[in-house]
Amino acid sequence: MSKLDEKKKKKREALFTAAFHLFNTKGIRQTSISDIAQEASVAKGTFYLYFKDKFDLRDKLIAEKASQILMQAADETRLDINRMDNKSLEDEIIELVDVILDRMEREPQLLRFITKNLSWGAFRHISIEDGERESMPFYDGYHRMIANSGRKIKNPDLMLFMIVELVSGCCYQVILHGQPVSLADLKGPLYQAIRGIIRDQEEAGEAGVENKKIRVAG
Amino acid sequence: MSKLDEKKKKKREALFTAAFHLFNTKGIRQTSISDIAQEASVAKGTFYLYFKDKFDLRDKLIAEKASQILMQAADETRLDINRMDNKSLEDEIIELVDVILDRMEREPQLLRFITKNLSWGAFRHISIEDGERESMPFYDGYHRMIANSGRKIKNPDLMLFMIVELVSGCCYQVILHGQPVSLADLKGPLYQAIRGIIRDQEEAGEAGVENKKIRVAG
Amino acid sequence: MSKLDEKKKKKREALFTAAFHLFNTKGIRQTSISDIAQEASVAKGTFYLYFKDKFDLRDKLIAEKASQILMQAADETRLDINRMDNKSLEDEIIELVDVILDRMEREPQLLRFITKNLSWGAFRHISIEDGERESMPFYDGYHRMIANSGRKIKNPDLMLFMIVELVSGCCYQVILHGQPVSLADLKGPLYQAIRGIIRDQEEAGEAGVENKKIRVAG
Amino acid sequence: MSKLDEKKKKKREALFTAAFHLFNTKGIRQTSISDIAQEASVAKGTFYLYFKDKFDLRDKLIAEKASQILMQAADETRLDINRMDNKSLEDEIIELVDVILDRMEREPQLLRFITKNLSWGAFRHISIEDGERESMPFYDGYHRMIANSGRKIKNPDLMLFMIVELVSGCCYQVILHGQPVSLADLKGPLYQAIRGIIRDQEEAGEAGVENKKIRVAG
DNA sequence: CATGAATGAGAATTCATTCAT
DNA sequence: AATGAATGAATTCTCATTCAT
């Protein structure tokens, strides 16, 4: 990478960092491009060399942040989509959720920012990028994980969708407002509900065996 | 009611109607107070006689719309919080959700508007007003419904919360974007998940009997 | 006076009181007619039954306040413009000033209000009204006072003017801002300066010695 | 100075000139920022690049104008604060006042503008700037002038204050309204009064004769 | 590439005044 | 006489975007 490219990358980073901070502090609406440029120590005109407008920046920022979170969570849970070891599908998913919830509790602004801006449509296209290896959409990883579990799920998309909506909806309220229960108190019932959704989505005849393994995490 | 008061009420209505239309058409951000006043055939200054600013109007509009929806849904399901007849708690709740979802499918702007703006905090304070009878917070009605069902729920607030988040999160995507399934295809799994959540929240020892009654609606 | 007239007078008083308070609290510019009407517990439209606009009210208010002050000061000093007793003209004037300054120190808002708004032109037309006796312009009283003193003043108007400007300019700063000295410390030098001005304005023959020293520059 | 800086300076000047003209013509209240920008042939938004608001501009304008006037007056009287030559302190001060009054008569808007807006507090901080030499607060120059005169003044601040208030109060009325005398007719008595104030403020021993006549009232 | 001065459309808000009740 | 809802002109201030340097 040439020096010029490095410099450009730094400017981009600076704009990202500044925007993230300001979006969380003042809200997107109240944040002007001027503000972002100033906090990034960059001229206003320079902003337009990197992003089309505020919302372009926001979208790119969300994609990056969401990708980071999923990647890190996958790393932390040593998620290996190729081997299922002895962990059940339920445990795998719940562990992932658990890591993410803990991260969100430590960084509520991240939560606020992503939840307010990430749609399901965008979610399906998040890539887990890695400087060295190729990038792979998270969504594909999810499907391989199910395939490798040997389980028969009626509609994996719908299952993921319901889990995502349930988790994201609940954690936003609980982490940011402590309502109606604490995160610690939410986890048990929430994970149980996730197990319920998975069980419901399992093709008849296979469920019985798995359910024996149920173990509530968190 | 005097003629003057009637006129005032009409103006308020006109502002509400105009704002609802514009918020849905152009989005709140792009809707100026000028726009609202113009569409309501009212002078700009008049707006400020009725609302503090755009967001004050929005909040009052949401409260009203949400109240309407819940009230109508309760009416349609002949919800009687005093007698549980032979309907189980699950059926009662699912029927309510079902009516609301159908309404939302018919009026997607209403869905977009409410979901984007109604927080759990605000939800808890929605009143179901009625010109004749007294108004009662929906939230209180829910608690009485549980009490009258004779069921023992560990944490009714948490249960409602999880159901509301799951339903609202799912229906927003499904109705507005048809993703990842149609509303018809969502209903079965969604209602099953609701039953699961209720069952999970039921105090041990009582759950078994109820579960026999499970019947997927929709 | 009829009951109706009394009611009207009360409304006028209420508007005066409210305006005086608000003008002093928020400044005339920031005080709207709405504010005044509200504080006076009167409808906005009612304001226009008593005053043309805000500035009309202000002018009438100043005239009344200034008149009150001069009248009260004259009363307190038992100023008798018909007999000079043994008090010298200087003592007479300085006593008047002294009473006024003390009053101003007790009511600095009054000072702020009047100084900011009373012009020399208006000052010359202030009447000392009295419910019982006739009203007489203060300005006429001043001239009679001089005549009765038996002193020969070159230009009584100029003399009064210079004294008024000196006193009002000084007391505004000193009382309201305590700058550059306290009122107590101002009084000595200020009264000395007043005596100087009077002496300078006395016709030759009575203050001949002084006049020899005068040398007009410029 | 770069071309850009020159252009900026010109814009600032244009705004100053436009504002000064409009403030004098229509009054500050009736002058909108739109007006100023238009008269300065500048976009409305540009105004805010140079000044926070109308009152920021006013304050800066006053400081500049007052500084100009004092500087020019000092130049014209060849005021040398280091040598007193044979001019007495009185003559020195009166000459300064005289130059200023003549200037004010030629530029009454300047007078109106400054007198209405310059407070004693601000006055004390006016700097006499000079592109070449360093800038020095006028106030310091005054104290050095007194020191160099070899005269003992009890309270130089109070003396300056009283003179400034007397002069500014009088000249405002006289120049702008020709009341109650013409400027020519005011000068003699006014300068005499200034001499009186200075004499009164002189420590005993040097003006002993005069002081015997003084009798402080109040 | 980078800058930041300039632009001007447009949004929010205020308020004196009118007028039907 | 009193009211206060309605008006809409006027004003302030913001900010995305452009472009000359």
Side-chain angles (χ1 to χ4, degrees):
Chain A
M1 195 184 284
S2 76
K3 258 191 184 159
L4 206 90
D5 280 350
E6 266 177 46
K7 252 174 119 182
K8 280 177 68 178
K9 194 155 191 178
K10 264 197 178 168
K11 288 230 156 107
R12 198 184 139 95
E13 289 289 311
L15 285 166
F16 263 152
T17 309
F20 182 64
H21 175 229
L22 289 167
F23 286 173
N24 283 315
T25 312
K26 319 168 39 171
I28 288 193
R29 267 245 318 290
Q30 341 298 338
T31 300
S32 70
I33 286 172
S34 224
D35 292 335
I36 299 170
Q38 195 164 21
E39 178 143 341
S41 304
V42 145
K44 222 189 314 184
T46 305
F47 179 95
Y48 292 92
L49 300 176
Y50 293 88
F51 304 100
K52 198 183 148 292
D53 57 27
K54 202 162 62 176
F55 302 101
D56 179 35
L57 185 157
R58 179 198 58 186
D59 293 342
K60 289 174 175 159
L61 188 49
I62 290 166
E64 194 174 283
K65 290 287 185 187
S67 165
Q68 271 177 17
I69 290 165
L70 284 178
M71 207 161 67
Q72 193 200 331
D75 270 6
E76 278 188 41
T77 56
R78 273 170 253 290
L79 184 71
D80 188 334
I81 55 181
N82 294 310
R83 292 173 303 122
M84 284 306 292
D85 296 339
N86 41 9
K87 272 190 245 171
S88 72
L89 181 63
E90 282 89 346
D91 292 346
E92 201 79 35
I93 290 175
I94 286 172
E95 235 184 286
L96 199 67
V97 168
D98 199 61
V99 169
I100 292 173
L101 288 188
D102 287 343
R103 166 92 186 268
M104 290 304 190
E105 191 170 36
R106 290 196 308 273
E107 295 183 66
Q109 338 102 343
L110 193 57
L111 169 62
R112 175 177 286 118
F113 182 64
I114 289 190
T115 314
K116 274 205 167 173
N117 293 291
L118 181 59
S119 71
W120 171 248
F123 178 78
R124 286 187 43 185
H125 296 103
I126 288 174
S127 282
I128 303 184
E129 291 184 59
D130 191 331
E132 319 256 331
R133 283 173 289 154
E134 294 165 58
S135 85
M136 178 185 60
F138 167 78
Y139 186 66
D140 291 354
Y142 166 74
H143 277 284
R144 288 173 64 184
M145 185 170 87
I146 293 202
N148 289 320
S149 74
R151 308 276 285 275
K152 296 246 188 290
I153 301 296
K154 290 179 207 160
N155 188 338
D157 275 9
L158 177 57
M159 187 176 104
L160 177 60
F161 172 64
M162 283 175 44
I163 294 173
V164 168
E165 293 298 339
L166 176 63
V167 170
S168 66
C170 287
C171 81
Y172 186 80
Q173 267 302 319
V174 165
I175 293 180
L176 294 181
H177 302 106
Q179 286 288 341
V181 296
S182 70
L183 180 59
D185 291 341
L186 172 69
K187 281 186 171 182
L190 180 62
Y191 298 161
Q192 225 172 331
I194 292 175
R195 286 178 196 280
I197 289 172
I198 297 174
R199 187 185 50 225
D200 291 344
Q201 280 291 313
E202 191 148 33
E203 301 279 3
E206 321 247 338
V209 186
E210 287 305 315
N211 282 341
K212 284 181 184 164
K213 295 184 186 172
I214 288 178
R215 186 173 50 102
V216 178
Chain B
M1 192 185 283
S2 75
K3 247 186 195 170
L4 207 97
D5 280 349
E6 265 176 47
K7 253 175 125 184
K8 279 175 72 176
K9 194 156 193 177
K10 264 197 179 167
K11 286 243 153 94
R12 198 185 141 95
E13 290 288 313
L15 285 166
F16 264 152
T17 307
F20 183 63
H21 175 228
L22 289 166
F23 286 174
N24 282 316
T25 311
K26 317 171 40 171
I28 289 194
R29 266 250 317 291
Q30 337 302 336
T31 301
S32 72
I33 284 167
S34 243
D35 293 336
I36 299 170
Q38 196 162 19
E39 177 142 341
S41 304
V42 147
K44 221 186 322 179
T46 305
F47 177 95
Y48 292 93
L49 296 177
Y50 292 87
F51 305 100
K52 202 185 144 288
D53 56 27
K54 206 161 59 176
F55 303 100
D56 180 36
L57 184 157
R58 180 199 58 186
D59 293 342
K60 288 174 176 157
L61 188 49
I62 290 168
E64 195 173 283
K65 291 289 183 184
S67 165
Q68 271 176 16
I69 291 165
L70 285 177
M71 207 160 70
Q72 193 201 330
D75 270 8
E76 279 188 39
T77 58
R78 274 169 253 290
L79 185 71
D80 188 334
I81 55 182
N82 294 310
R83 291 172 305 122
M84 282 307 292
D85 295 337
N86 41 10
K87 272 191 245 171
S88 72
L89 181 62
E90 283 89 345
D91 292 345
E92 200 81 36
I93 289 176
I94 286 170
E95 234 184 289
L96 200 66
V97 169
D98 198 63
V99 168
I100 292 174
L101 289 188
D102 286 343
R103 166 94 186 266
M104 289 303 187
E105 192 170 33
R106 289 195 310 274
E107 296 185 63
Q109 337 102 340
L110 193 57
L111 169 63
R112 172 176 289 117
F113 182 64
I114 289 190
T115 312
K116 274 206 165 174
N117 294 293
L118 180 60
S119 72
W120 171 248
F123 178 79
R124 286 188 43 187
H125 295 103
I126 289 175
S127 282
I128 303 184
E129 291 185 59
D130 191 332
E132 319 256 329
R133 285 172 287 153
E134 293 165 59
S135 87
M136 176 185 61
F138 166 78
Y139 186 67
D140 290 355
Y142 166 75
H143 276 283
R144 288 174 63 185
M145 185 169 86
I146 292 204
N148 289 320
S149 74
R151 307 277 285 273
K152 295 248 187 288
I153 302 297
K154 291 180 203 159
N155 188 339
D157 275 9
L158 177 56
M159 186 175 105
L160 177 61
F161 171 65
M162 282 175 44
I163 293 172
V164 167
E165 293 297 339
L166 176 63
V167 170
S168 66
C170 289
C171 81
Y172 186 79
Q173 267 301 321
V174 164
I175 292 179
L176 294 181
H177 302 106
Q179 287 286 342
V181 296
S182 69
L183 179 59
D185 291 341
L186 172 70
K187 282 186 170 181
L190 180 63
Y191 297 161
Q192 226 173 330
I194 293 174
R195 287 179 194 280
I197 290 172
I198 297 173
R199 187 185 51 223
D200 291 344
Q201 280 290 313
E202 190 147 35
E203 300 278 5
E206 322 245 339
V209 185
E210 287 303 319
N211 282 339
K212 283 183 186 163
K213 293 185 188 171
I214 287 179
R215 186 175 49 104
V216 179
Chain C
M1 194 185 282
S2 77
K3 258 192 185 159
L4 204 89
D5 280 349
E6 265 176 46
K7 251 175 123 184
K8 280 177 69 177
K9 192 155 194 177
K10 263 197 177 166
K11 288 232 156 106
R12 196 184 141 96
E13 289 290 311
L15 285 166
F16 263 152
T17 308
F20 182 64
H21 175 228
L22 288 166
F23 286 172
N24 283 316
T25 311
K26 319 170 36 170
I28 289 192
R29 264 245 320 289
Q30 340 299 338
T31 301
S32 70
I33 285 172
S34 222
D35 293 335
I36 299 170
Q38 194 163 20
E39 178 142 343
S41 304
V42 147
K44 221 189 317 185
T46 306
F47 178 95
Y48 292 92
L49 299 175
Y50 293 88
F51 304 100
K52 197 182 147 291
D53 55 27
K54 201 162 64 176
F55 302 99
D56 179 36
L57 183 157
R58 179 197 58 185
D59 293 342
K60 287 174 176 158
L61 187 50
I62 290 167
E64 192 172 287
K65 290 289 183 184
S67 163
Q68 270 177 16
I69 290 165
L70 285 177
M71 207 162 68
Q72 190 201 333
D75 269 8
E76 278 189 40
T77 57
R78 276 170 250 291
L79 185 70
D80 188 336
I81 54 181
N82 294 310
R83 289 172 305 119
M84 281 309 292
D85 294 338
N86 41 11
K87 273 193 242 170
S88 73
L89 181 63
E90 281 88 346
D91 291 346
E92 200 79 35
I93 289 174
I94 285 170
E95 233 185 287
L96 198 67
V97 168
D98 198 61
V99 168
I100 292 173
L101 288 187
D102 287 343
R103 166 92 186 267
M104 289 302 188
E105 192 170 34
R106 289 193 310 272
E107 294 185 65
Q109 336 102 343
L110 193 57
L111 168 62
R112 173 177 288 117
F113 181 65
I114 290 190
T115 313
K116 275 206 166 173
N117 294 293
L118 181 58
S119 72
W120 171 250
F123 179 80
R124 287 188 44 187
H125 295 103
I126 289 174
S127 282
I128 304 183
E129 292 185 59
D130 191 331
E132 320 256 330
R133 286 172 286 154
E134 295 167 57
S135 87
M136 175 185 63
F138 167 78
Y139 185 67
D140 292 354
Y142 166 74
H143 277 284
R144 288 173 63 184
M145 183 170 89
I146 293 204
N148 290 319
S149 75
R151 306 276 284 273
K152 295 251 188 288
I153 302 298
K154 290 179 205 160
N155 188 338
D157 274 10
L158 178 57
M159 188 175 102
L160 176 61
F161 171 66
M162 283 175 45
I163 292 172
V164 167
E165 292 298 339
L166 177 63
V167 169
S168 66
C170 287
C171 80
Y172 186 80
Q173 267 300 319
V174 164
I175 293 179
L176 293 181
H177 301 107
Q179 287 286 340
V181 296
S182 70
L183 180 58
D185 291 341
L186 173 70
K187 282 185 170 182
L190 180 63
Y191 298 160
Q192 229 172 328
I194 292 174
R195 286 178 196 281
I197 289 170
I198 298 173
R199 187 185 51 224
D200 291 344
Q201 279 290 314
E202 194 146 31
E203 297 278 5
E206 320 242 346
V209 187
E210 286 305 315
N211 282 339
K212 279 183 188 164
K213 294 182 187 176
I214 290 172
R215 188 170 50 101
V216 178
Chain D
M1 192 185 281
S2 76
K3 246 181 194 170
L4 208 99
D5 280 350
E6 264 175 47
K7 255 174 123 183
K8 279 174 69 175
K9 194 155 194 179
K10 264 195 179 166
K11 286 243 154 94
R12 198 184 142 96
E13 291 288 313
L15 286 165
F16 263 153
T17 308
F20 183 63
H21 175 227
L22 290 166
F23 286 173
N24 283 316
T25 311
K26 318 169 40 171
I28 289 192
R29 267 252 315 294
Q30 340 301 336
T31 300
S32 73
I33 284 167
S34 246
D35 293 337
I36 298 171
Q38 196 161 19
E39 177 141 343
S41 304
V42 146
K44 221 188 322 177
T46 304
F47 178 94
Y48 292 94
L49 297 177
Y50 292 88
F51 306 100
K52 201 183 146 292
D53 57 26
K54 207 160 62 175
F55 302 101
D56 179 37
L57 185 156
R58 179 197 61 187
D59 293 342
K60 288 175 176 157
L61 189 49
I62 290 167
E64 193 173 285
K65 290 287 184 187
S67 165
Q68 270 176 17
I69 291 165
L70 283 177
M71 206 163 67
Q72 192 200 330
D75 270 7
E76 278 188 39
T77 55
R78 273 169 254 291
L79 185 71
D80 187 336
I81 55 182
N82 294 310
R83 291 171 303 124
M84 283 306 292
D85 296 337
N86 40 12
K87 275 191 240 169
S88 72
L89 182 62
E90 283 89 344
D91 291 347
E92 199 80 36
I93 289 175
I94 287 171
E95 235 184 286
L96 200 66
V97 169
D98 198 62
V99 168
I100 292 173
L101 289 188
D102 287 344
R103 166 92 186 265
M104 290 302 190
E105 192 170 33
R106 288 194 312 271
E107 297 184 63
Q109 336 103 339
L110 193 58
L111 168 64
R112 171 177 289 116
F113 182 65
I114 290 189
T115 312
K116 272 206 165 174
N117 294 293
L118 182 61
S119 73
W120 172 248
F123 177 80
R124 284 189 45 186
H125 294 104
I126 288 176
S127 281
I128 303 184
E129 291 186 57
D130 191 331
E132 320 256 330
R133 285 174 287 154
E134 296 165 56
S135 87
M136 178 185 62
F138 167 77
Y139 186 66
D140 291 353
Y142 166 74
H143 277 284
R144 287 173 65 184
M145 185 169 89
I146 293 200
N148 289 318
S149 76
R151 307 275 286 273
K152 295 250 189 288
I153 302 298
K154 290 178 203 159
N155 188 340
D157 275 10
L158 178 56
M159 187 175 105
L160 177 61
F161 171 66
M162 283 174 46
I163 293 172
V164 167
E165 292 297 339
L166 176 63
V167 170
S168 66
C170 288
C171 80
Y172 187 80
Q173 268 301 319
V174 164
I175 293 179
L176 294 182
H177 302 106
Q179 287 286 339
V181 295
S182 70
L183 180 59
D185 291 342
L186 172 71
K187 281 184 170 183
L190 179 63
Y191 297 160
Q192 228 172 328
I194 292 175
R195 287 178 195 281
I197 289 172
I198 297 173
R199 189 184 52 224
D200 291 345
Q201 280 291 312
E202 192 148 32
E203 299 277 5
E206 321 242 344
V209 186
E210 289 304 317
N211 282 339
K212 280 183 186 162
K213 296 179 184 176
I214 290 168
R215 188 170 53 101
V216 179

